Amino acid sequence: MSPNKKKIPNFKSEAEERAFWDKESPLDYLDKNKAKKVKLANLKPSTEVISLRLPAGLLNDIKLVANKNDVPYQSYMKIMLAEKIKESLATYSTSKPK
């Protein structure tokens, strides 16, 4: 640790540590030149709840296809949306004039 950095105290609980870091800057305690990049592969992406109105027939069809694929219908909808968006973005990026 470089000489101008503060020493991180020992904490009695996670709540105490959380309160400490709410008030303090990690830059006062850690040497950013010694930092290493890490990949946090197990983090779940942030999600947001939305309300989506679909025609009853379309929702029934989605549920039917999802059931045939042994996937919950909401998961199936996310998969299908992600695939379609990926296709659209690929098409958009190749057709966009430079």
Side-chain angles (χ1 to χ4, degrees):
M1 186 178 308
S2 64
N4 61 346
K5 296 294 177 184
K6 298 178 184 178
K7 185 178 184 301
I8 299 173
N10 292 324
F11 303 103
K12 294 177 183 167
S13 68
E14 189 176 314
E16 184 182 333
E17 182 176 1
R18 194 175 291 118
F20 175 83
W21 290 116
D22 280 345
K23 296 181 286 187
E24 298 290 330
S25 169
L27 297 176
D28 295 336
Y29 294 84
L30 305 172
D31 187 350
K32 69 178 183 177
N33 295 321
K34 293 182 181 176
K36 296 178 184 175
K37 285 195 174 201
V38 295
K39 196 170 196 177
L40 304 173
N42 293 329
L43 286 180
K44 292 183 179 177
S46 299
T47 61
E48 194 169 327
V49 176
I50 64 167
S51 176
L52 179 65
R53 296 187 185 279
L54 297 173
L58 175 59
L59 182 58
N60 286 333
D61 290 345
I62 292 168
K63 288 179 177 181
L64 178 70
V65 175
N67 189 35
K68 286 183 179 184
N69 287 289
D70 198 28
V71 177
Y73 79 94
Q74 290 177 332
S75 297
Y76 182 75
M77 287 175 58
K78 287 186 258 184
I79 292 166
M80 297 307 295
L81 280 169
E83 287 176 1
K84 188 63 178 172
I85 292 299
K86 189 175 180 179
E87 288 173 14
S88 295
L89 288 172
T91 302
Y92 175 75
S93 66
T94 58
S95 65
K96 188 177 175 183
K98 294 183 180 185

